[in-house]
Amino acid sequence: MIPYSRQALDDDDVQSVVDVLRSDWLTQGPTCELFEGEVAKYCSAPYAIATCNGTAALHVACLALGIGPGDTVWTTPITFVASANVAKYCGADVDFVDIDPETFNMSPRELRKKLKQAASAHKLPKALIIVHLAGLPCDLGEIAAACREYNVRLIEDASHAIGAQYQGTPIGSCQYSDATIFSFHPVKIITTAEGGMVLTRNLELARKLRRLRSHGIERDPARLARPPRGAWYYEQQELGFNYRLSDVHAALGISQLAKLDAFLSRREFIVSRYTQELGGLDIGFQKACSDRRCAWHLCIAQIVKGDRDTVFKHLRSHGIGVQVHYIPVHVQPYYQSLGFTPEQFPNSLRYYQQCLSLPVFPGLQDEQQTRVITQLRRALAL
Ligand SMILES: *Cc1c(COP(=O)(O)O)cnc(C)c1O
């Protein structure tokens, strides 16, 4: 089966991990700090805090921004469930803003409409979690302006988007947001096997994120509540978690980061071949925005005529691991039990009925892609 995505590892990656395994330090230590520094530099952000996965990164980002019971967080229905679940972890309520049918990202127009209504009902959200779907940056300018106007905190779930750019600014720089998170799961752009990171420009927020990542413990003598009685002394100042990233994982991240630009070019090449060779067919693709660089975590086709499920089955039965990203979060049984109805977000529902993720990853061979294209043509003719 040709998968829809897959990690790209080579001997350098293996060596990088082996080096740490042979060293004195396995858990979060010097290699993790190095990895944080390199991602921060790549993204032009001053602070980066590595975590054990992207969900943990989102969770501590929400907590550090003070999200808790009585608050509401808005996100998009077209995302992985984690983007919404993290608000529930904090005891907050979740609501959604429908997508733009062309970019598949949260619609800035729908957002403004909903913010206006919420303001007059005195029910504004505390924070907005946007998702750069497939690696295509959201309309950050418009969304950040709306958030500023209504005093809403902004978190970028950039799980798909390391290496992407918005108007020349790297995603992760947090020029438009309070915090940005990445996931380093094996299907994402670069991997640490499991891992994540939060980036921010705010020093206080960065300190809080570091504490929350490790049990709420503070060791900095300058920031202790009581005078330290000895070198052993530390204080748990709030309730945190064990969300650390190990140096073993970080070593893989450092070695992967060195190949990020090569990965991005390969992904871009694969997607441009799909759009060229499938251009004349009854198939739609995510709108290309000339002011943005997409990281192409996914290549999402829209089966605009014909039946997506039939196309899906045909491709799967021919060894092509197409996938559906995503089942809208609000139609999941858990969210339905909270009172959401499928028709509440019609653009997301329509998108879901038509979407199909085609294989895209650096190791996809030209000949494999030819097979995908041939079988997709056949499926559309069924
Ligand atoms: C992968 C992903 C996450 C969660 O990342 P993990 O590292 O698997 O915890 C969150 N949001 C989106 C949009 C994702 O694709």
Side-chain angles (χ1 to χ4, degrees):
M1 180 83 78
I2 303 172
Y4 81 87
S5 185
R6 190 195 144 78
Q7 69 273 17
L9 299 190
D10 61 18
D11 290 346
D12 290 344
D13 296 306
V14 174
Q15 193 55 50
S16 178
V17 172
V18 168
D19 289 347
V20 165
L21 287 173
R22 292 195 200 285
S23 78
D24 291 333
W25 206 280
L26 298 186
T27 183
Q28 180 194 296
T31 310
C32 188
E33 216 170 292
L34 208 63
F35 181 43
E36 291 175 334
E38 291 196 4
V39 174
K41 187 166 156 233
Y42 184 91
C43 297
S44 310
Y47 310 110
I49 296 92
T51 54
C52 55
N53 56 60
T55 307
L58 274 172
H59 185 194
V60 288
C62 287
L63 288 173
L65 288 171
I67 292 160
D71 294 326
T72 304
V73 174
W74 291 359
T75 188
T76 165
I78 301 302
T79 183
F80 184 55
V81 290
S83 314
N85 288 349
V86 291
K88 300 298 292 180
Y89 294 171
C90 302
D93 292 325
V94 172
D95 201 355
F96 301 92
V97 179
D98 209 356
I99 61 162
D100 176 300
E102 293 193 320
T103 64
F104 313 157
N105 280 330
M106 182 185 285
S107 156
R109 240 190 47 217
E110 293 292 328
L111 174 64
R112 280 222 167 251
K113 211 163 78 186
K114 196 169 172 115
L115 282 169
K116 201 169 168 195
Q117 286 165 357
S120 42
H122 301 286
K123 283 186 173 164
L124 278 169
K126 178 128 175 184
L128 184 67
I129 300 177
I130 54 169
V131 178
H132 305 306
L133 191 78
L136 179 69
C138 291
D139 206 329
L140 278 167
E142 290 258 341
I143 289 173
C147 284
R148 264 196 310 276
E149 199 173 309
Y150 290 93
N151 193 27
V152 175
R153 305 272 74 79
L154 180 58
I155 299 172
E156 296 172 65
D157 179 347
S159 293
H160 302 179
I162 192 168
Q165 293 186 355
Y166 175 79
Q167 296 180 352
T169 309
I171 292 300
S173 73
C174 304
Q175 290 290 355
Y176 296 86
S177 63
D178 295 285
T180 301
I181 77 95
F182 293 133
S183 164
F184 306 125
H185 182 282
V187 297
K188 307 292 164 71
I189 308 281
I190 60 169
T191 190
T192 59
E194 289 280 358
M197 203 172 280
V198 191
L199 295 97
T200 181
R201 308 191 77 77
N202 180 325
L203 175 60
E204 274 314 307
L205 205 62
R207 286 193 173 126
K208 198 163 169 60
L209 288 162
R210 286 204 186 97
R211 269 201 307 276
L212 288 167
R213 168 178 67 177
S214 200
H215 309 281
I217 287 173
E218 182 63 66
R219 290 175 187 277
D220 179 354
R223 310 186 69 78
L224 297 172
R226 305 173 190 151
R229 289 180 49 198
W232 71 84
Y233 189 74
Y234 62 81
E235 287 175 357
Q236 185 196 340
Q237 297 182 336
E238 61 190 311
L239 187 62
F241 304 85
N242 179 353
Y243 279 173
R244 292 186 303 263
L245 184 75
S246 83
D247 268 20
V248 180
H249 294 85
L252 183 53
I254 290 174
S255 145
Q256 286 268 294
L257 187 64
K259 287 169 280 208
L260 172 55
D261 290 324
F263 289 167
L264 293 169
S265 317
R266 180 69 191 148
R267 285 176 177 276
E268 202 160 29
F269 175 82
I270 291 167
V271 172
S272 67
R273 190 174 161 210
Y274 277 134
T275 51
Q276 275 165 28
E277 298 196 25
L278 298 166
L281 305 173
D282 288 328
I283 211 171
F285 287 100
Q286 200 170 10
K287 185 183 168 188
C289 302
S290 58
D291 62 342
R292 294 166 221 186
R293 180 186 197 191
C294 183
W296 298 115
H297 161 55
L298 301 171
C299 178
I300 304 168
Q302 289 260 283
I303 310 301
V304 287
K305 281 188 191 154
D307 178 42
R308 191 273 317 275
D309 296 359
T310 308
V311 176
F312 180 95
K313 271 189 223 139
H314 176 89
L315 290 166
R316 279 285 181 100
S317 71
H318 285 81
I320 295 159
V322 282
Q323 192 50 282
V324 167
H325 295 99
Y326 289 94
I327 305 164
V329 178
H330 75 285
V331 310
Q332 292 289 354
Y334 173 74
Y335 285 93
Q336 295 274 288
S337 78
L338 298 179
F340 292 100
T341 58
E343 302 73 27
Q344 237 174 311
F345 306 101
N347 293 345
S348 297
L349 207 57
R350 197 171 319 114
Y351 163 89
Y352 169 49
Q353 282 152 6
Q354 300 182 335
C355 70
L356 188 71
S357 298
L358 307 179
V360 54
F361 53 95
L364 182 72
Q365 302 300 305
D366 291 345
E367 159 280 320
Q368 290 179 310
Q369 192 179 8
T370 306
R371 261 165 61 206
V372 177
I373 291 167
T374 307
Q375 289 304 337
L376 186 53
R377 284 213 177 97
R378 281 195 196 141
L380 289 168
L382 287 180

